[in-house]
Amino acid sequence: MTQEAQPGSSDDGTQPGAAPVPPGYGPPPAYGQPPVWGPPAPGYAPPPSYGPPPAGFGPPPYGPPPGYGTQQGYGMPFAPVRPTNMMAILSLVFAFVFSPLGIIFGIIAKRQIRERHEEGDGLALAGIIISSFFTLLVVAYFALIFVLIAFAGTSTVH
């Protein structure tokens, strides 16, 4: 009696549903077994093994590096920052908004800075200088307008 092929089995002895094995290759190793690699390909030798490192090139020694002593203190703490005088800031702002007020704020700020030991002396000075310049510019403009109006009314025609 001959064996008949069971449905789903193949004649080559592989499991049902398995892909056919290409020619020239053996069946894959069973699950859990390490693969068997053949000899290296012609022209390729196995990689060389590395020996011990040369003298003086071993792993670094443990512990802190030599030559460092104990840590020093942090030195003097920083001095507290002195606040900037608000009138000095306003002096510089009002130099461009309303310059006569900038002069007044600058003079007040210089006095307060001297008494309270605050920052902002340069701001107050800049406010005074810029305010004085713009105030003189506005005064010169109005003086010129006044002179032109005065001479326009006194013209003589012959």
Short mmCIF file of all heavy atoms in Angstrom, two decimals, residues 83-92 101-128:
data_model
loop_
_atom_site.label_atom_id
_atom_site.label_comp_id
_atom_site.label_asym_id
_atom_site.label_seq_id
_atom_site.Cartn_x
_atom_site.Cartn_y
_atom_site.Cartn_z
N PRO A 83 20.49 100.89 44.39
CA PRO A 83 19.41 101.16 43.43
C PRO A 83 19.69 102.42 42.62
O PRO A 83 20.41 103.32 43.06
CB PRO A 83 18.19 101.33 44.33
CG PRO A 83 18.74 101.79 45.63
CD PRO A 83 20.08 101.10 45.76
N THR A 84 19.10 102.47 41.45
CA THR A 84 19.21 103.66 40.60
C THR A 84 18.14 104.67 41.03
O THR A 84 16.99 104.31 41.25
CB THR A 84 19.02 103.28 39.13
OG1 THR A 84 19.98 102.28 38.78
CG2 THR A 84 19.20 104.48 38.21
N ASN A 85 18.53 105.91 41.12
CA ASN A 85 17.62 106.97 41.54
C ASN A 85 16.54 107.17 40.48
O ASN A 85 16.82 107.33 39.29
CB ASN A 85 18.39 108.27 41.75
CG ASN A 85 17.54 109.36 42.32
OD1 ASN A 85 16.75 109.96 41.60
ND2 ASN A 85 17.70 109.62 43.60
N MET A 86 15.28 107.15 40.91
CA MET A 86 14.15 107.27 39.99
C MET A 86 14.09 108.66 39.35
O MET A 86 13.70 108.80 38.19
CB MET A 86 12.85 106.96 40.73
CG MET A 86 11.65 106.89 39.82
SD MET A 86 11.77 105.66 38.50
CE MET A 86 11.76 104.16 39.45
N MET A 87 14.47 109.67 40.08
CA MET A 87 14.44 111.03 39.52
C MET A 87 15.46 111.18 38.39
O MET A 87 15.23 111.95 37.45
CB MET A 87 14.72 112.06 40.62
CG MET A 87 13.64 112.14 41.67
SD MET A 87 12.06 112.65 40.99
CE MET A 87 12.27 114.40 41.01
N ALA A 88 16.57 110.43 38.48
CA ALA A 88 17.57 110.48 37.40
C ALA A 88 16.99 109.88 36.12
O ALA A 88 17.21 110.39 35.02
CB ALA A 88 18.84 109.74 37.82
N ILE A 89 16.25 108.79 36.27
CA ILE A 89 15.62 108.18 35.10
C ILE A 89 14.57 109.13 34.51
O ILE A 89 14.51 109.34 33.29
CB ILE A 89 14.98 106.82 35.48
CG1 ILE A 89 16.07 105.85 35.93
CG2 ILE A 89 14.18 106.25 34.33
CD1 ILE A 89 15.53 104.57 36.54
N LEU A 90 13.76 109.72 35.39
CA LEU A 90 12.73 110.66 34.92
C LEU A 90 13.35 111.89 34.27
O LEU A 90 12.78 112.46 33.34
CB LEU A 90 11.82 111.06 36.07
CG LEU A 90 10.89 109.97 36.60
CD1 LEU A 90 10.12 110.47 37.82
CD2 LEU A 90 9.94 109.53 35.52
N SER A 91 14.50 112.31 34.76
CA SER A 91 15.19 113.46 34.16
C SER A 91 15.55 113.18 32.70
O SER A 91 15.34 114.03 31.83
CB SER A 91 16.45 113.79 34.96
OG SER A 91 17.24 114.72 34.28
N LEU A 92 16.04 111.99 32.44
CA LEU A 92 16.41 111.64 31.07
C LEU A 92 15.17 111.45 30.20
O LEU A 92 15.16 111.83 29.03
CB LEU A 92 17.27 110.37 31.06
CG LEU A 92 17.92 110.00 29.73
CD1 LEU A 92 18.81 111.14 29.23
CD2 LEU A 92 18.71 108.73 29.86
N LEU A 101 11.13 120.45 32.65
CA LEU A 101 10.92 119.54 33.78
C LEU A 101 12.10 118.56 33.91
O LEU A 101 12.45 118.14 35.01
CB LEU A 101 9.61 118.78 33.60
CG LEU A 101 9.04 118.10 34.82
CD1 LEU A 101 8.85 119.10 35.95
CD2 LEU A 101 7.72 117.43 34.49
N GLY A 102 12.71 118.21 32.78
CA GLY A 102 13.90 117.35 32.81
C GLY A 102 15.06 118.00 33.54
O GLY A 102 15.82 117.33 34.25
N ILE A 103 15.22 119.32 33.39
CA ILE A 103 16.28 120.03 34.11
C ILE A 103 16.01 119.98 35.61
O ILE A 103 16.92 119.70 36.41
CB ILE A 103 16.36 121.51 33.63
CG1 ILE A 103 16.78 121.58 32.17
CG2 ILE A 103 17.34 122.31 34.49
CD1 ILE A 103 16.68 122.97 31.57
N ILE A 104 14.77 120.25 36.00
CA ILE A 104 14.42 120.25 37.43
C ILE A 104 14.63 118.87 38.04
O ILE A 104 15.24 118.73 39.10
CB ILE A 104 12.97 120.74 37.62
CG1 ILE A 104 12.84 122.21 37.17
CG2 ILE A 104 12.52 120.57 39.05
CD1 ILE A 104 11.42 122.68 37.05
N PHE A 105 14.13 117.82 37.34
CA PHE A 105 14.31 116.45 37.86
C PHE A 105 15.78 116.07 37.94
O PHE A 105 16.21 115.38 38.87
CB PHE A 105 13.57 115.44 36.97
CG PHE A 105 12.09 115.41 37.19
CD1 PHE A 105 11.26 114.73 36.32
CD2 PHE A 105 11.49 116.07 38.25
CE1 PHE A 105 9.90 114.67 36.51
CE2 PHE A 105 10.12 116.04 38.45
CZ PHE A 105 9.33 115.34 37.57
N GLY A 106 16.59 116.54 37.00
CA GLY A 106 18.03 116.23 37.03
C GLY A 106 18.73 116.85 38.21
O GLY A 106 19.59 116.22 38.85
N ILE A 107 18.38 118.09 38.53
CA ILE A 107 19.01 118.76 39.68
C ILE A 107 18.58 118.09 40.98
O ILE A 107 19.42 117.86 41.88
CB ILE A 107 18.64 120.26 39.67
CG1 ILE A 107 19.29 120.95 38.46
CG2 ILE A 107 19.07 120.95 40.95
CD1 ILE A 107 18.81 122.36 38.20
N ILE A 108 17.29 117.75 41.09
CA ILE A 108 16.82 117.05 42.30
C ILE A 108 17.51 115.69 42.42
O ILE A 108 17.93 115.27 43.51
CB ILE A 108 15.28 116.89 42.26
CG1 ILE A 108 14.61 118.25 42.37
CG2 ILE A 108 14.80 115.97 43.36
CD1 ILE A 108 13.10 118.20 42.12
N ALA A 109 17.66 115.00 41.30
CA ALA A 109 18.29 113.67 41.32
C ALA A 109 19.75 113.76 41.76
O ALA A 109 20.22 112.91 42.53
CB ALA A 109 18.20 113.03 39.94
N LYS A 110 20.48 114.75 41.29
CA LYS A 110 21.90 114.89 41.69
C LYS A 110 21.99 115.07 43.21
O LYS A 110 22.88 114.50 43.85
CB LYS A 110 22.53 116.10 40.97
CG LYS A 110 22.68 115.95 39.49
CD LYS A 110 23.83 115.10 39.11
CE LYS A 110 25.08 115.93 39.06
NZ LYS A 110 26.22 115.16 38.62
N ARG A 111 21.11 115.87 43.79
CA ARG A 111 21.14 116.09 45.24
C ARG A 111 20.78 114.79 45.98
O ARG A 111 21.45 114.43 46.96
CB ARG A 111 20.18 117.21 45.63
CG ARG A 111 20.31 117.59 47.10
CD ARG A 111 19.48 118.78 47.54
NE ARG A 111 18.96 119.60 46.47
CZ ARG A 111 17.64 119.84 46.29
NH1 ARG A 111 16.76 119.33 47.09
NH2 ARG A 111 17.25 120.63 45.31
N GLN A 112 19.75 114.09 45.53
CA GLN A 112 19.35 112.84 46.19
C GLN A 112 20.43 111.77 46.08
O GLN A 112 20.67 111.02 47.03
CB GLN A 112 18.05 112.30 45.58
CG GLN A 112 16.82 113.09 45.97
CD GLN A 112 15.57 112.51 45.33
OE1 GLN A 112 15.64 111.61 44.49
NE2 GLN A 112 14.43 113.05 45.72
N ILE A 113 21.09 111.69 44.97
CA ILE A 113 22.15 110.69 44.78
C ILE A 113 23.30 110.96 45.73
O ILE A 113 23.88 110.03 46.31
CB ILE A 113 22.62 110.69 43.30
CG1 ILE A 113 21.54 110.09 42.41
CG2 ILE A 113 23.93 109.92 43.13
CD1 ILE A 113 21.77 110.28 40.93
N ARG A 114 23.63 112.21 45.91
CA ARG A 114 24.71 112.57 46.84
C ARG A 114 24.33 112.23 48.28
O ARG A 114 25.16 111.73 49.04
CB ARG A 114 25.00 114.07 46.69
CG ARG A 114 26.39 114.46 47.05
CD ARG A 114 26.69 115.93 46.79
NE ARG A 114 25.52 116.82 46.89
CZ ARG A 114 25.07 117.56 45.86
NH1 ARG A 114 25.66 117.52 44.70
NH2 ARG A 114 24.01 118.35 46.03
N GLU A 115 23.08 112.45 48.66
CA GLU A 115 22.65 112.20 50.04
C GLU A 115 22.41 110.72 50.32
O GLU A 115 22.75 110.23 51.39
CB GLU A 115 21.35 112.98 50.33
CG GLU A 115 21.54 114.48 50.35
CD GLU A 115 20.21 115.21 50.40
OE1 GLU A 115 19.15 114.54 50.37
OE2 GLU A 115 20.23 116.46 50.46
N ARG A 116 21.79 110.00 49.37
CA ARG A 116 21.39 108.62 49.60
C ARG A 116 22.40 107.58 49.10
O ARG A 116 22.17 106.38 49.26
CB ARG A 116 20.05 108.34 48.91
CG ARG A 116 18.93 109.22 49.41
CD ARG A 116 17.68 108.91 48.62
NE ARG A 116 16.60 109.85 48.94
CZ ARG A 116 15.46 109.89 48.28
NH1 ARG A 116 15.21 109.06 47.31
NH2 ARG A 116 14.54 110.77 48.64
N HIS A 117 23.44 108.01 48.45
CA HIS A 117 24.46 107.11 47.89
C HIS A 117 23.84 106.12 46.93
O HIS A 117 24.08 104.91 47.00
CB HIS A 117 25.24 106.40 48.99
CG HIS A 117 25.88 107.32 49.97
ND1 HIS A 117 26.95 108.12 49.63
CD2 HIS A 117 25.57 107.61 51.26
CE1 HIS A 117 27.29 108.85 50.69
NE2 HIS A 117 26.47 108.55 51.70
N GLU A 118 23.04 106.62 45.98
CA GLU A 118 22.39 105.78 44.97
C GLU A 118 23.15 105.86 43.66
O GLU A 118 24.05 106.69 43.49
CB GLU A 118 20.95 106.24 44.76
CG GLU A 118 20.04 106.00 45.94
CD GLU A 118 18.65 106.52 45.70
OE1 GLU A 118 18.49 107.58 45.07
OE2 GLU A 118 17.71 105.87 46.16
N GLU A 119 22.77 104.99 42.73
CA GLU A 119 23.32 105.01 41.37
C GLU A 119 22.50 105.97 40.53
O GLU A 119 21.41 106.37 40.89
CB GLU A 119 23.25 103.61 40.76
CG GLU A 119 24.13 102.58 41.44
CD GLU A 119 25.60 102.81 41.19
OE1 GLU A 119 25.96 103.27 40.08
OE2 GLU A 119 26.39 102.55 42.10
N GLY A 120 23.03 106.35 39.35
CA GLY A 120 22.28 107.18 38.42
C GLY A 120 22.83 108.57 38.23
O GLY A 120 22.15 109.42 37.65
N ASP A 121 24.04 108.81 38.69
CA ASP A 121 24.62 110.15 38.54
C ASP A 121 24.79 110.50 37.06
O ASP A 121 24.53 111.64 36.65
CB ASP A 121 25.97 110.21 39.27
CG ASP A 121 26.49 111.63 39.38
OD1 ASP A 121 25.71 112.52 39.77
OD2 ASP A 121 27.68 111.85 39.04
N GLY A 122 25.20 109.54 36.26
CA GLY A 122 25.37 109.79 34.82
C GLY A 122 24.05 110.03 34.13
O GLY A 122 23.96 110.86 33.21
N LEU A 123 23.00 109.32 34.55
CA LEU A 123 21.68 109.55 33.98
C LEU A 123 21.19 110.96 34.29
O LEU A 123 20.64 111.65 33.42
CB LEU A 123 20.68 108.53 34.53
CG LEU A 123 20.79 107.09 34.07
CD1 LEU A 123 19.83 106.21 34.84
CD2 LEU A 123 20.52 106.99 32.59
N ALA A 124 21.38 111.38 35.54
CA ALA A 124 20.95 112.73 35.92
C ALA A 124 21.72 113.79 35.14
O ALA A 124 21.13 114.77 34.67
CB ALA A 124 21.14 112.93 37.42
N LEU A 125 23.02 113.59 34.99
CA LEU A 125 23.83 114.56 34.24
C LEU A 125 23.41 114.60 32.78
O LEU A 125 23.28 115.68 32.19
CB LEU A 125 25.32 114.20 34.36
CG LEU A 125 26.29 115.12 33.66
CD1 LEU A 125 26.20 116.53 34.25
CD2 LEU A 125 27.71 114.58 33.76
N ALA A 126 23.17 113.41 32.18
CA ALA A 126 22.72 113.38 30.79
C ALA A 126 21.35 114.05 30.66
O ALA A 126 21.10 114.77 29.68
CB ALA A 126 22.66 111.94 30.29
N GLY A 127 20.46 113.83 31.62
CA GLY A 127 19.16 114.48 31.59
C GLY A 127 19.27 115.99 31.66
O GLY A 127 18.55 116.71 30.95
N ILE A 128 20.17 116.49 32.51
CA ILE A 128 20.35 117.94 32.63
C ILE A 128 20.90 118.53 31.33
O ILE A 128 20.42 119.55 30.83
CB ILE A 128 21.29 118.28 33.82
CG1 ILE A 128 20.59 117.95 35.14
CG2 ILE A 128 21.72 119.73 33.78
CD1 ILE A 128 21.51 118.04 36.34
#
